[in-house]
Amino acid sequence: MKFLIFGPPGSGKGTYSTRIEDKIDVEHIATGDIFREAVKEKTELGKRVKEYLDRGDLVPDELVNKVVREKLKKVGMDNFLLDGYPRTVEQAKFLNDIMDIDGLILLDVTDEIIIKRLSSRRICKDCGEVFNKLFHPPEEEGVCDKCGGDLYQRDDDKPDVIKDRINTYEERSEPVIDYFEGKIPIVVNRCRKANAPIDAMVKNIIDQMKERDLVS
Ligand code: ADP
Ligand code: ZN
């Protein structure tokens, strides 16, 4: 099973992916996590991508494509949920040329929700689990429910960078939906509330995937 999960920053890609991964047994691969990890570890890759991440800009296609191809090779190329990739039409073409994708999960949310969610989002520095101070708080403030790690706010979740990320999404990433339209099945999860219950959203996604025979 080869799936993509797609949507603007703050649409819940990471949050839903970790739950979908448990339910349908696919490997969740998030390019954002790969890049943040590289920056943290100060690897060659980290040094090259840091300035883009800090500004909320896209990492150049050629570099992203290379990183993704290597990662997919490592996991065997045939069982994954890709989160945060492809994010430009060039990336989509690259991926489509190297393999057939089974379906795309599209998270449809409003700008208002994005801004509310991103500004109160907190991430576990050890396991990457996503929390939200307002809508999905951890049991103990600042501590991860899953692993006990410390929670932090991403630099690109600060207000001035959020606007740039939304613009970048609209200009560069939204055309990816048109690219896949008619090529692969697209399952749409519509969300109109910043605090929509996570379990219900995940159930809606999986039910739609079952209805369309994408998973059993
Ligand atoms: P979000 O979807 O919340 O914006 P991600 O964690 O997916 O965050 O990505 C964080 C940052 O990593 C992006 O702002 C961008 O700089 C970089 N990035 C991740 N995936 C890609 C990609 N496919 N192409 C280009 N840049 C990417
Ligand atoms: Zn954790």
Side-chain angles (χ1 to χ4, degrees):
M1 296 182 291
K2 306 194 214 39
F3 297 117
L4 312 177
I5 186 162
F6 190 88
S11 56
K13 296 185 297 283
T15 304
Y16 299 153
S17 294
T18 52
R19 287 160 179 82
I20 295 171
E21 178 182 36
D22 290 341
K23 289 203 158 66
I24 64 173
D25 196 30
V26 283
E27 170 123 1
H28 172 217
I29 299 172
T31 45
D33 290 348
I34 295 175
F35 293 144
R36 274 187 296 279
E37 178 72 22
V39 170
K40 196 174 111 191
E41 301 295 327
K42 298 196 168 67
T43 63
E44 260 331 288
L45 174 65
K47 285 179 204 153
R48 287 180 69 185
V49 302
K50 183 174 188 313
E51 55 172 318
Y52 298 100
L53 267 72
D54 286 348
R55 288 198 305 259
D57 280 348
L58 295 180
V59 174
D61 290 329
E62 217 183 306
L63 180 56
V64 186
N65 288 339
K66 186 169 156 268
V67 167
V68 170
R69 191 176 45 200
E70 277 166 18
K71 180 74 189 177
L72 291 179
K73 263 194 198 146
K74 244 188 224 161
V75 304
M77 300 288 255
D78 62 356
N79 199 43
F80 55 78
L81 174 61
L82 258 181
D83 157 4
Y85 180 92
R87 227 175 175 102
T88 64
V89 171
E90 288 68 30
Q91 293 175 17
K93 285 182 178 155
F94 176 84
L95 181 68
N96 192 56
D97 281 346
I98 57 176
M99 64 179 71
D100 291 328
I101 298 295
D102 298 312
L104 183 150
I105 301 163
L106 174 62
L107 305 181
D108 171 18
V109 301
T110 57
D111 283 2
E112 205 193 327
I113 294 181
I114 298 173
I115 293 164
K116 271 193 202 156
R117 279 193 185 152
L118 290 181
S119 46
S120 47
R121 173 158 81 176
R122 296 293 182 273
I123 320 274
C124 173
K125 96 181 173 353
D126 294 334
C127 75
E129 181 72 8
V130 183
F131 296 90
N132 192 292
K133 273 175 54 166
L134 298 177
F135 309 118
H136 167 47
E139 272 171 35
E140 188 185 332
E141 206 192 311
V143 181
C144 175
D145 289 354
K146 262 188 152 175
C147 78
D150 290 337
L151 305 184
Y152 75 103
Q153 179 174 38
R154 276 168 48 175
D155 285 337
D156 60 348
D157 279 349
K158 309 216 162 122
D160 45 331
V161 187
I162 291 177
K163 281 209 199 83
D164 292 338
R165 285 163 65 205
I166 295 176
N167 289 338
T168 304
Y169 174 79
E170 286 171 354
E171 283 167 23
R172 310 274 318 271
S173 302
E174 259 175 359
V176 170
I177 305 168
D178 298 326
Y179 176 81
F180 282 116
E181 192 90 59
K183 283 195 180 70
I184 58 175
I186 298 182
V187 164
V188 182
N189 183 68
R190 190 167 179 277
C191 176
R192 289 294 173 267
K193 280 198 298 205
N195 60 344
I198 296 168
D199 290 344
M201 297 283 104
V202 171
K203 182 173 184 309
N204 174 46
I205 293 168
I206 303 233
D207 285 350
Q208 287 194 60
M209 292 173 88
K210 283 182 181 160
E211 254 166 50
R212 300 176 70 170
D213 275 335
L214 297 174
V215 292
S216 48

